[in-house]
Amino acid sequence: MTTHYTLVHFTDYQNFDSIQEMDATVRQFNARISKPHYETLNVLKQHSCKVIGVSHLKVATIANAVGRSTRAIHRHLKYLADNGFITVANTSRKKSGGKGANIYIINRIDQQKAIQKKHVSYRKASHRNTVKTAVKRQQQQAFAYIKVKKQTMYSLKLLNSLFSSTGRKYKRMRKKMKLTRIDNIKNATFANRIVPEGIYHQFIPFFSDAQLTALYKTAVNRLATFDLDAIQQNDAITYGLESLVKALRRYHRGEGEPVYNLYAYLNRTLLHIGFNGEFYDDVYAYTNAADFRTAMA
C-alpha cells in the first residue's frame, strides 16, 4: 500500500507521456552540458521509467553509480537544477520524521528554457544592484574625503596661526610633527585587498606584492572558463603557484630551464589543472599531454 501511494504521489510531478519523449529530451540536454553533468542526469533518467521522468534517489546512490564523491554529485545536481534541466523536490520520512531522499523531476525543454531565462534575469538584476551599491559607496568615500580635506586645511591654518604667535617653540613643534609624518610614511604598510590572505602569506616570500597580485588575477581569469567551485578554484591557484615556484627553484639550483614569463607559465599550468578539476573532479589529477590534447579537441 505504501509503494502504491508513493507512485500516485510521484505522478503529480510527471512531465512526459512516454519514455521515448523523455529520452529525446535528455539527449538534447546531454549535448549542452559537460560529461560529469550528463552522467548524473543519465542516472536520474535510468531510474525514471516507472514514473516517467521522476526518480527518488539518495545522493550516495547516484555517486556510486557514476563513481564520484557525494560532494561532486551535490554540485552536479545544483548545476542541473539552477540551469533548469531538473527540478528537485524534498521529501520527509512519515514515521521517523526528517528529510528523506529527494525527488528529481526531469523538465521538458520549454520548462528548462523558462527557468534558465529567469535565472539569467536574476543574475542581471543582481549585477545591477551590485553596481549601484559600488557607486553609492564611492560617492560616500568621495564626500568623506572632501570632509577630511576641509578639516585638514582648517587644522593647518590653525597651526600656522599658533606657530606665528608663539615663536620658535611652535616652529620646533611643527618641524617635529613633520618629521613624525615622514617617518610614518616611510614605514607605511597596507593589506593586499585582492589576493586572499592564505595565498598571500604563503607566496609573498617569493614575489613582490605587485607580482603576486598580477599572478593571482592571471590565475582567476584562466580558471573562469572551467566549472569549479570556490574551494576547487582556491586549491587550483595554490597548486599552480606552487608549480611556478618549483620551476624557479629548479632553475636557480642549476637543475632546469629559466622561466622567461611568470604569467605565461602560470596560465599554461592552470589550463591543465582547471581541466583536471572539471573533468576528473580533482585538480591534482595527472593528465599526460596526449590525453589532454585529445580531450580538449
Side-chain angles (χ1 to χ4, degrees):
M1 291 297 292
T2 302
T3 302
H4 177 67
Y5 173 82
T6 303
L7 290 176
V8 172
H9 178 66
F10 284 5
T11 56
D12 295 340
Y13 300 102
Q14 185 171 329
N15 290 323
F16 303 102
D17 296 325
S18 67
I19 293 176
Q20 291 76 16
E21 183 185 0
M22 176 185 67
D23 289 344
T25 298
V26 172
R27 279 196 298 273
Q28 292 190 50
F29 287 166
N30 286 348
R32 296 161 52 192
I33 57 182
S34 65
K35 181 179 177 181
H37 293 141
Y38 74 64
E39 286 177 346
T40 300
L41 180 58
N42 283 346
V43 172
L44 299 181
K45 184 196 74 173
Q46 292 165 8
H47 289 79
S48 300
C49 295
K50 185 172 290 186
V51 179
I52 302 173
V54 182
S55 57
H56 186 237
L57 295 172
K58 293 183 178 179
V59 172
T61 302
I62 303 173
N64 291 334
V66 299
R68 294 183 182 272
S69 65
T70 56
R71 181 165 163 264
I73 298 303
H74 277 297
R75 287 201 310 273
H76 299 170
L77 292 172
K78 183 179 185 303
Y79 172 85
L80 294 172
D82 288 347
N83 289 275
F85 298 107
I86 65 172
T87 297
V88 181
N90 294 327
T91 62
S92 60
R93 300 185 183 92
K94 295 184 177 296
K95 291 184 178 181
S96 60
K99 186 177 178 182
N102 287 329
I103 299 173
Y104 301 102
I105 305 107
I106 299 176
N107 294 326
R108 300 191 309 273
I109 293 176
D110 60 323
Q111 292 173 322
Q112 187 273 329
K113 290 182 178 179
I115 293 172
Q116 191 174 50
K117 183 178 180 181
K118 182 178 179 182
H119 187 60
V120 171
S121 299
Y122 171 79
R123 284 189 295 186
K124 288 182 178 179
S126 178
H127 175 70
R128 287 195 296 270
N129 292 335
T130 301
V131 172
K132 289 180 180 178
T133 302
V135 170
K136 185 177 180 180
R137 187 187 303 112
Q138 290 174 350
Q139 291 174 341
Q140 292 173 342
Q141 291 174 344
F143 290 140
Y145 172 77
I146 293 172
K147 184 177 179 180
V148 170
K149 187 174 182 180
K150 287 182 177 179
Q151 292 175 345
T152 302
M153 292 175 64
Y154 174 77
S155 299
L156 289 174
K157 289 180 180 179
L158 179 61
L159 286 173
N160 287 333
S161 175
L162 290 173
F163 291 154
S164 62
S165 63
T166 56
R168 288 179 298 178
K169 177 181 177 182
Y170 292 100
K171 287 183 180 180
R172 291 194 299 269
M173 183 185 297
R174 184 171 59 182
K175 183 177 181 180
K176 183 177 180 180
M177 290 175 64
K178 181 178 180 181
L179 293 174
T180 300
R181 288 197 300 271
I182 292 174
D183 287 338
N184 291 337
I185 292 172
K186 289 179 179 179
N187 299 315
T189 58
F190 302 96
N192 189 304
R193 303 187 185 278
I194 296 177
V195 183
E197 185 176 358
I199 294 177
Y200 182 85
H201 288 299
Q202 183 176 352
F203 294 100
I204 194 60
F206 315 116
F207 307 103
S208 68
D209 193 90
Q211 282 180 322
L212 187 54
T213 300
L215 287 168
Y216 181 79
K217 289 181 178 179
T218 297
V220 171
N221 291 335
R222 172 73 276 177
L223 295 175
T225 58
F226 297 101
D227 182 24
L228 304 178
D229 60 24
I231 295 175
Q232 285 181 310
Q233 186 182 70
N234 189 75
D235 290 344
I237 293 174
T238 301
Y239 187 28
L241 288 171
E242 286 176 352
S243 299
L244 174 57
V245 173
K246 289 177 181 178
L248 294 170
R249 182 180 65 185
R250 288 193 296 271
Y251 166 69
H252 288 295
R253 287 181 176 181
E255 300 169 354
E257 297 294 326
V259 178
Y260 295 104
N261 188 316
L262 301 178
Y263 311 100
Y265 184 95
L266 181 62
N267 190 71
R268 185 173 63 253
T269 302
L270 286 173
L271 183 62
H272 288 263
I273 295 174
F275 171 83
N276 292 334
E278 179 172 345
F279 289 90
Y280 296 101
D281 200 36
D282 182 8
V283 297
Y284 303 103
Y286 172 76
T287 307
N288 62 46
D291 291 343
F292 174 73
R293 286 195 295 269
T294 301
M296 292 299 290

